[in-house]
Amino acid sequence: MEFRPIINALMRNKTGLLLIALQVAITLAIVCNSVFIILQRIEKVNRPSGMDEKALFTITSLGFAPDFDLRGSLRQDLEALRSIPGVIDATTINSVPLSNGGWSEGITTLPESVPEEQRKNTPTSIYIIDDHGVNTLGVRVVAGRNFTADDVSYRSRDDKGTPNSVIVTQALADQLYPDGNALGKPIYSGLGGKGSSSTIVGVVERLQAPWVGWDKVEHAMLVPQYQDGEFDNSARYLVRTDPARRDEVMKEAERKLGEVNTGRIVRGLRSVEEVRGESYRQDRAMTIVLTTVIFSLLAVTGLGIVGMVSFWVTRRVKQIGTRRALGARRFDIRRYFMIENVIVVGVGIALGLLLTYGFNLWLMKHYELPRLAWYYAPLGALTVLLLGQLAVFGPATRASRVSPAVATRTV
């Protein structure tokens, strides 16, 4: 089939050609970038935290009685929690991973005696736990050892205490000591006062920071300490259970802590799954919104092509009938409109590819998104092209059924 007659026919309908091509271009640009963002969000939401999330919950104690003994309460509470049937382990913890609230610290591998311009601070999140913390979190030690009871000290308002030992994530260890094993190496921080040092005694495979949007989310450091009234008479506990009994144990833990000490409030009972859901709520909402936008745009574009082709078929009834009278088959008529649609959509795709990468550059500049992977544009173009062919098939089939007799009666 010659393309020149098709192009000549399209040039007589420039407005329709431009409208459909522009619609296709905008759809391609938005769909490609939206799918890219959606897949990024899905990857972010589903990335492993390193914890045994389904088995974990957190609960907080806040003492209000004048004679409330936080240090004694910590021991009683942990004994009570660990004695509950279904509990695997329990620990104190200053903040909950994935909760979007916690502590961070800049650490370095060089002492203060080294000039400041030579010391490189590496940011990390800080989790203050006891010797049961690693087992409670469910993280996997890949090098070195876990904390022992002798490693755990008390951290109070007047005495911060310098932890002798710390455990870091693999990502943080690689950042601090990229050229060698981090085990046994020192780190310097302000945890126990300016310039205090600790030794890395263990490395865990993975543990995420509390802030899910942080670019250093894999940087975490475990510190063996009890918080003995550093800020107030509060204590946060993290409890690991049999996942099948978690909800049952949560209610029992709340009840039991209330009985152990009546001079405090027990609150903040939440599963870590619930914490994750709240922290990633915006990402899930964005995924839903963008998915709705994608399908809406594809539907509108498809309907636009159907409407435009139907209009062109109506205007060309006489022309179609004449071609049928001259021997054109139904297949030829259908093919004519489908090739015509390929040309129209092809013009839109050419413009859409420019818009796709232009939109991506704008997102990179203003929202710090990464560069669009090369395969998104061709896959998006193929999707739009197939959509166009699917949309035009119905009107083209109706056009192929126009008989020469019907065309003649329209003269």
Side-chain angles (χ1 to χ4, degrees):
M1 176 180 289
E2 294 185 3
F3 285 91
R4 188 165 184 175
I6 299 177
I7 295 174
N8 289 338
L10 287 173
M11 289 299 100
R12 291 195 292 270
N13 298 281
K14 293 179 182 178
T15 302
L17 168 63
L18 291 175
L19 286 175
I20 293 299
L22 185 60
Q23 188 173 10
V24 168
I26 293 173
T27 298
L28 178 60
I30 294 178
V31 166
C32 286
N33 283 282
S34 295
V35 170
F36 182 55
I37 293 172
I38 287 172
L39 293 179
Q40 277 197 316
R41 297 291 175 175
I42 291 175
E43 182 182 359
K44 176 183 175 183
V45 169
N46 293 329
R47 62 192 175 188
S49 66
M51 301 182 296
D52 186 8
E53 293 182 35
K54 294 182 179 180
L56 292 172
F57 71 87
T58 179
I59 188 168
T60 302
S61 163
L62 177 60
F64 61 81
D67 59 345
F68 183 79
D69 176 20
L70 179 60
R71 185 174 293 197
S73 176
L74 289 173
R75 292 194 300 270
Q76 289 179 330
D77 290 348
L78 288 171
E79 288 176 5
L81 289 171
R82 291 166 186 161
S83 68
I84 297 174
V87 169
I88 295 173
D89 215 337
T91 185
T92 60
I93 194 166
N94 61 315
S95 59
V96 179
L98 309 176
S99 65
N100 279 330
W103 291 16
S104 66
E105 183 75 26
I107 60 176
T108 180
T109 58
L110 298 174
E112 277 197 336
S113 57
V114 176
E116 185 174 353
E117 59 272 13
Q118 296 180 22
R119 285 185 281 123
K120 180 183 177 182
N121 268 335
T122 300
T124 182
S125 57
I126 303 294
Y127 293 114
I128 298 178
I129 59 173
D130 65 7
D131 52 310
H132 291 257
V134 169
N135 187 48
T136 302
L137 286 163
V139 293
R140 188 164 73 93
V141 178
V142 293
R145 64 173 177 86
N146 191 3
F147 295 132
T148 65
D150 293 335
D151 291 317
V152 185
S153 61
Y154 282 91
R155 178 186 181 90
S156 67
R157 181 182 292 106
D158 300 322
D159 182 10
K160 305 297 183 184
T162 300
N164 294 322
S165 308
V166 295
I167 295 175
V168 298
T169 59
Q170 186 68 64
L172 181 58
D174 293 340
Q175 181 73 33
L176 293 171
Y177 291 99
D179 299 328
N181 191 340
L183 283 179
K185 303 290 180 61
I187 61 101
Y188 298 86
S189 69
L191 283 174
K194 192 174 181 181
S196 60
S197 67
S198 306
T199 301
I200 298 174
V201 298
V203 178
V204 295
E205 181 180 26
R206 176 179 286 109
L207 179 62
Q208 288 187 351
W211 312 282
V212 297
W214 194 30
D215 61 348
K216 300 292 189 298
V217 71
E218 298 290 340
H219 285 195
M221 184 166 72
L222 302 173
V223 177
Q225 288 185 323
Y226 292 113
Q227 289 179 261
D228 185 14
E230 183 176 3
F231 299 112
D232 51 35
N233 283 331
S234 67
R236 179 182 287 110
Y237 302 106
L238 188 68
V239 183
R240 184 183 179 192
T241 72
D242 177 350
R245 302 184 63 183
R246 187 197 64 193
D247 294 344
E248 168 197 342
V249 173
M250 287 174 68
K251 295 177 182 178
E252 178 63 17
E254 186 175 33
R255 185 193 67 79
K256 196 152 191 175
L257 288 186
E259 291 179 351
V260 168
N261 193 325
T262 59
R264 46 93 177 276
I265 300 171
V266 178
R267 60 183 185 180
L269 183 65
R270 292 194 303 168
S271 68
V272 170
E273 279 190 318
E274 182 183 351
V275 172
R276 169 184 275 273
E278 291 177 0
S279 296
Y280 284 113
R281 182 178 299 167
Q282 289 186 347
D283 296 286
R284 290 192 174 93
M286 178 176 288
T287 299
I288 293 171
V289 169
L290 290 178
T291 301
T292 303
V293 168
I294 288 172
F295 282 104
S296 298
L297 273 174
L298 291 174
V300 169
T301 301
L303 290 173
I305 293 173
V306 169
M308 187 60 67
V309 175
S310 297
F311 174 71
W312 288 343
V313 168
T314 302
R315 291 189 60 183
R316 299 175 186 174
V317 170
K318 181 179 177 181
Q319 175 188 343
I320 295 168
T322 302
R323 289 194 61 201
R324 290 295 309 281
L326 293 174
R329 298 168 298 172
R330 288 186 175 184
F331 172 78
D332 297 324
I333 301 300
R334 186 186 296 115
R335 183 179 62 174
Y336 176 92
F337 283 101
M338 297 191 78
I339 292 177
E340 185 178 68
N341 182 256
V342 168
I343 295 173
V344 174
V345 173
V347 173
I349 288 174
L351 178 59
L353 291 175
L354 296 176
L355 289 178
T356 296
Y357 289 108
F359 189 27
N360 179 244
L361 289 174
W362 182 81
L363 291 172
M364 290 171 59
K365 179 179 179 181
H366 294 279
Y367 295 97
E368 298 182 355
L369 288 180
R371 186 179 298 277
L372 186 72
W374 68 268
Y375 48 85
Y376 279 87
L379 287 177
L382 179 61
T383 300
V384 173
L385 183 62
L386 292 176
L387 172 68
Q389 292 298 284
L390 181 64
V392 81
F393 186 80
T397 300
R398 288 196 299 272
S400 69
R401 292 172 183 165
V402 174
S403 68
V406 173
T408 302
R409 286 197 296 269
T410 62
V411 178

